[in-house]
Amino acid sequence: MNFPMAFVLIGLVIGLLQLSTTEGQYTGPTLACGGTSLVKSTTLLAPNSIPASGLNCVYTIRSLNLRICQLRLDFNSFSLAQPTLDPYPKCINDVFSVENMSFDLCGENSGQHVYVPFNPTNADRTMTITFRIASRSQIPTLSNPHWSIRVQQLECPSGMAAAAKDAAHELDPPEMLPLIARTLHSDVGLIAPTGCLQYFTDTSGTVESFNLGTGAGPYLGDMNYAICFNRPRNSQLLRLKPTTFEIASSANPTVGNPGVDELCYSSVSVAARSEDNLHIPNAVARLPTLPALRANRFCSNSLNNGEVDVSGPGPFMMYFTSDQLFDPYRRETGFRLQYQIM
């Protein structure tokens, strides 16, 4: 090894040892429309004044290195026009889209978060996040949009020796060492399991459908995503207590079936049959008028005034699915659940 390279590697190791966790997770500046972020964490801000003619606002995120594997987006505030209801709740006027996310968002989503896969290569190290805002002069009844979204780049774990070697090759000139050192850490506790759109790392909190807002909804159609919870060692139970639960069903509930399994999902696909449901594997529901009920899929108002326990092995996960149908007589409000891992 030649002397300059040895000096770089020694300096890199010293820089890493001197970094505290807070410094390693340093936050960059805010980002305006049309800007490109080159830092680990930044906040996307809406313009102070949005033209009445509408706006197409694009933010670009450039990966710090090729180990970046996910973006976590936290919606500090998020208020766009409501979805249209024809033919089903869909974002038409205002649209929020992210590369590698399979659906768009709109409506009221403050406090929500999403994880998006990021697969940078030497040829392309960027992802775009876009707000398309409709003309208020043409549709004056639309509410005024605003947003503030924190974006974090998350690194998948890698061997420190290999990481140091990769970074050393990128150092040019040597005075870049402190900046590069800041990027060499693994966000193990923050990385979501593969396939999870949402990942809750606290042992208690609230999970809700997109665009629930103050409780009016509606949730968006044509969605299919996984909601995951960090399961600490020795935990035995995930408990869910709904405060809002109203999901379309294929038929009216009965005394024996308040809105579970076959009322929510059919083993045979039928084009005109609603299949909106919250899928909670290994669930045991305790409802006011029924004995403990083993079910997996829930719709209608089935979980109101009840609670659900999940105690099976493996990760704690649930799935929300909505179709491309809309019946105004079967409300599609959404869900809000208080969860606790015990």
Side-chain angles (χ1 to χ4, degrees), residues 8-333:
V8 166
L9 289 175
I10 292 171
L12 176 59
V13 172
I14 293 173
L16 287 171
L17 292 175
Q18 290 177 338
L19 280 176
S20 68
T21 301
T22 301
E23 290 170 331
Q25 300 280 352
Y26 84 109
T27 300
T30 57
L31 193 65
C33 290
T36 298
S37 173
L38 304 174
V39 295
K40 182 170 179 61
S41 177
T42 191
T43 300
L44 314 182
L45 295 181
N48 291 329
S49 178
I50 295 178
S53 58
L55 176 70
N56 193 54
C57 176
V58 180
Y59 305 91
T60 301
I61 306 298
R62 179 176 172 82
S63 69
L64 292 171
N65 53 57
L66 299 185
R67 293 179 301 279
I68 300 299
C69 59
Q70 293 178 350
L71 295 183
R72 175 176 167 125
L73 281 63
D74 287 279
F75 301 164
N76 302 324
S77 67
F78 185 113
S79 180
L80 302 183
Q82 285 292 307
T84 60
L85 301 181
D86 186 15
Y88 60 90
K90 185 177 182 180
C91 300
I92 296 294
N93 294 313
D94 293 350
V95 180
F96 170 77
S97 60
V98 185
E99 277 190 62
N100 297 336
M101 192 168 77
S102 59
F103 50 80
D104 300 328
L105 292 175
C106 56
E108 301 295 329
N109 291 297
S110 297
Q112 294 275 23
H113 75 274
V114 296
Y115 281 82
V116 183
F118 195 178
N119 303 299
T121 65
N122 284 321
D124 185 4
R125 296 176 62 162
T126 63
M127 275 183 60
T128 57
I129 300 171
T130 303
F131 283 86
R132 190 178 75 243
I133 305 301
S135 168
R136 266 52 183 175
S137 59
Q138 294 183 4
I139 315 176
T141 56
L142 296 179
S143 60
N144 292 325
H146 62 81
W147 61 86
S148 170
I149 299 178
R150 185 189 183 204
V151 180
Q152 292 176 271
Q153 298 190 33
L154 302 180
E155 297 182 29
C156 282
S158 59
M160 183 58 69
K165 181 179 179 181
D166 291 343
H169 286 299
E170 297 176 7
L171 290 177
D172 183 24
E175 55 265 25
M176 288 294 291
L177 176 62
L179 177 60
I180 297 297
R182 289 173 185 264
T183 72
L184 293 180
H185 55 273
S186 295
D187 302 306
V188 176
L190 292 175
I191 294 173
T194 300
C196 298
L197 180 75
Q198 295 190 300
Y199 181 47
F200 293 86
T201 57
D202 293 334
T203 55
S204 63
T206 302
V207 54
E208 63 184 49
S209 52
F210 291 104
N211 194 41
L212 182 63
T214 58
Y219 55 81
L220 300 171
D222 198 22
M223 302 187 84
N224 185 16
Y225 64 92
I227 303 166
C228 306
F229 303 86
N230 178 46
R231 183 170 189 170
R233 184 178 300 177
N234 299 324
S235 61
Q236 302 295 321
L237 182 74
L238 168 65
R239 176 160 292 167
L240 302 165
K241 294 185 177 182
T243 57
T244 299
F245 195 87
E246 191 168 36
I247 297 174
S249 59
S250 62
N252 292 328
T254 64
V255 174
N257 189 332
V260 301
D261 290 343
E262 62 268 19
L263 280 188
C264 311
Y265 185 83
S266 173
S267 58
V268 178
S269 178
V270 179
R273 187 186 193 278
S274 173
E275 293 195 340
D276 295 358
N277 69 89
L278 183 64
H279 180 192
I280 311 175
N282 302 312
V284 176
R286 292 192 295 275
L287 307 176
T289 59
L290 292 172
L293 180 65
R294 294 179 180 177
N296 287 309
R297 298 179 189 266
F298 300 88
C299 59
S300 188
N301 302 103
S302 58
L303 293 182
N304 282 342
N305 302 313
E307 65 180 26
V308 175
D309 285 346
V310 180
S311 57
F316 289 141
M317 302 177 66
M318 58 187 187
Y319 310 87
F320 179 69
T321 300
S322 59
D323 52 35
Q324 297 184 8
L325 303 175
F326 180 71
D327 182 348
Y329 298 103
R330 300 189 188 279
R331 290 174 57 86
E332 300 187 355
T333 302

